[in-house]
Amino acid sequence: MAHASFEKGTRSVGRFVTALMAGLFAWSAAHAQPAKAAGQATSSLEWLQRWQQASSNHAYAGTVTIVAQTGASYSARIWHATRNGQQIDRIEMLSGPPRTIVRSGRAVTTLFSADKRARVLHDAPQLSHLFPGIDVLQAGQLRDTASQYQASRTGRERMANYMADVVVFQPRDGWRHAYRFWSEEKTGVLLKWQMLEVAGNGLVGARVLREAGFTDVQIPAVVEFDALQALLNNRRGYAAVEHRLQRLTLQSQGWAWRKPLPGYVVTGCYQRGSRGAGHGGPGPHRGDMAGRGAGEGPPRRGRGAGRGRGNGPGAGADRGSEMGPGAGMRQRRFAGGSAVQCLVTDGLGSVSLFIEKPPQTGADKPADQVLEQGTVRMRSRWYDGTYRITAVGAVPAAALQGLLDNLHRP
């Protein structure tokens, strides 16, 4: 049943946790701007630049715990190293099946120690490299993201044995959630992040939808870049399966936006194979600690699908598995079909957009769907009776619907 599949996805959030952190703070140094000190940073752009610069300049190591709205928690040990603007991360999952993820740039290697398997992904999207899940954006896109939020420093608190600046990002519209950040006051390294649902009273009584933070961390830490690089490249003793993603654009597939959703940009589109990840054409992975709903394919429709809310999000189980928002909420895909998966983000909130053209079998088409599980939401609709479009992400429902309503074939 679709609902059972949905719950199974929720239990797999640990895999998704690995892409959320998969390589903390890896924003490209090429796009970094001079960062202001904490006492000087006032705007949302200045804070984002400060945190970006911190990830490029400081090595650290620590244990991160992610807590979902349901109360489920997942932990990982992370080592972050930098050299000449390059960044590399090693993530050891402490929850779920034992596995190690090493990520640098667009190369991701996942080692499964129990059965000595290795999954190697080339040309992976540069996503969720900044600790709380802030996506890699071009300088212009970063400014656009910053313009969608009002930043305010609300004080100082002790976090993971460091004094931290507490900064709140409140959205200027209904297309995104509010966020609260804790960053180490001397270096700017992010220590904790929360996604918030803000009611009419503002931050008073705001509900925490999800949070991720260090329970212990060392800044700076002695982390050898070359040692992590060797782990990324040396898979001796492991049976390795390698994938290279097929990159596309919406335009090349005949799609365009009627009116782009403010602040949201498409950071990459990929061809999904008919059998899903690892079987003849995987979709984009976020590493195995995905934090945002990575997916192994668009939601599958099964018996009982569409019963959730309405007639038929986040991603995955509270953010998905390793391929961007959308994996944990899989439902049965159309036999013989393939899909295009696009990753859409405003820098803080992310969505996986799946576009399928099912075979014409004469069977009745499933109804449009609406599903929700905590912060994870899914919306699907049919376009012109031919294409099924599904949006999955840990963003407000209005953002998912806005993306679906504005995508068309000119």
Side-chain angles (χ1 to χ4, degrees):
M1 295 177 67
H3 186 65
S5 176
F6 187 87
E7 292 177 339
K8 182 179 180 181
T10 302
R11 292 193 299 269
S12 70
V13 67
R15 296 182 56 202
F16 166 34
V17 169
T18 309
L20 174 136
M21 329 278 341
L24 288 123
F25 311 108
W27 245 332
S28 171
H31 303 134
Q33 302 293 322
K36 290 190 176 183
Q40 298 174 294
T42 56
S43 70
S44 53
L45 178 59
E46 289 167 349
W47 281 110
L48 289 172
Q49 289 172 343
R50 173 170 168 76
W51 299 332
Q52 171 176 312
Q53 191 76 4
S55 71
S56 299
N57 293 341
H58 301 284
Y60 52 81
T63 302
V64 170
T65 297
I66 298 176
V67 181
Q69 185 184 15
T70 59
S73 62
Y74 307 86
S75 298
R77 184 75 179 168
I78 299 176
W79 294 261
H80 175 79
T82 68
R83 185 175 65 187
N84 299 328
Q86 291 183 297
Q87 300 175 61
I88 190 169
D89 298 271
R90 172 183 176 178
I91 302 100
E92 295 278 356
M93 291 303 303
L94 304 180
S95 304
R99 57 205 181 280
T100 300
I101 300 91
V102 184
R103 179 162 188 160
S104 180
R106 294 187 179 275
V108 182
T109 295
T110 304
L111 304 174
F112 301 90
S113 58
D115 51 5
K116 296 297 182 182
R117 289 185 300 114
R119 182 173 56 226
V120 183
L121 187 66
H122 303 283
D123 298 327
Q126 291 183 312
L127 299 173
S128 286
H129 285 276
L130 195 61
F131 162 66
I134 298 177
D135 287 331
V136 178
L137 297 177
Q138 302 292 327
Q141 296 170 340
L142 182 63
R143 286 191 294 270
D144 194 21
T145 287
S147 70
Q148 310 302 321
Y149 295 91
Q150 176 66 48
S152 60
R153 180 178 179 275
T154 60
R156 299 166 66 244
E157 292 183 10
R158 194 166 186 81
M159 185 63 57
N161 206 31
Y162 289 88
M163 289 306 301
D165 294 298
V166 185
V167 181
V168 173
F169 274 35
Q170 295 207 57
R172 299 181 186 273
D173 55 33
W175 304 115
R176 57 208 96 239
H177 290 300
Y179 297 87
R180 181 185 287 124
F181 302 95
W182 286 257
S183 62
E184 202 276 318
E185 62 180 5
K186 294 181 180 179
T187 63
V189 170
L190 282 165
L191 301 176
K192 185 177 178 179
W193 156 88
Q194 289 180 336
M195 177 189 292
L196 305 174
E197 182 179 74
V198 179
N201 295 329
L203 291 178
V204 178
R207 186 162 61 107
V208 177
L209 301 178
R210 174 185 301 141
E211 67 178 25
F214 281 107
T215 54
D216 66 82
V217 64
Q218 182 180 356
I219 312 170
V222 179
V223 183
E224 294 293 337
F225 190 99
D226 289 340
L228 296 189
Q229 187 70 46
L231 186 61
L232 179 68
N233 298 325
N234 184 5
R235 299 179 293 275
R236 185 176 304 171
Y238 284 79
V241 177
E242 302 202 20
H243 298 294
R244 190 172 296 276
L245 299 183
Q246 179 183 352
R247 297 174 64 88
L248 306 168
T249 65
L250 280 174
Q251 291 75 13
S252 70
Q253 301 302 299
W255 296 91
W257 300 107
R258 290 189 179 93
K259 182 180 180 181
L261 212 59
Y264 283 90
V265 296
V266 177
T267 57
C269 291
Y270 305 85
Q271 182 68 52
R272 298 298 309 272
S274 61
R275 294 180 60 195
H279 299 284
H285 288 52
R286 291 171 84 77
D288 261 300
M289 189 177 168
R292 254 190 278 226
E296 297 182 356
R300 298 179 300 170
R301 181 181 184 274
R303 187 174 56 186
R307 293 181 183 173
R309 297 185 47 187
N311 54 359
D318 207 89
R319 274 217 211 253
S321 81
E322 57 197 353
M323 303 170 54
M329 301 178 73
R330 299 183 65 182
Q331 297 166 303
R332 180 179 57 80
R333 295 177 58 182
F334 295 99
S338 62
V340 172
Q341 178 185 359
C342 293
L343 304 177
V344 186
T345 180
D346 77 339
L348 298 180
S350 292
V351 176
S352 270
L353 195 66
F354 298 97
I355 304 172
E356 297 177 276
K357 187 176 182 180
Q360 299 297 319
T361 62
D364 292 339
K365 294 181 173 63
D368 293 350
Q369 293 184 314
V370 176
L371 294 175
E372 299 192 9
Q373 176 72 39
T375 59
V376 179
R377 297 183 173 92
M378 183 192 80
R379 299 288 186 274
S380 72
R381 64 178 289 250
W382 285 88
Y383 179 87
D384 198 25
T386 303
Y387 297 90
R388 187 176 72 170
I389 308 174
T390 303
V392 188
V395 298
L400 296 180
Q401 196 62 51
L403 292 172
L404 293 179
D405 291 344
N406 281 290
L407 188 65
H408 75 125
R409 295 183 70 83

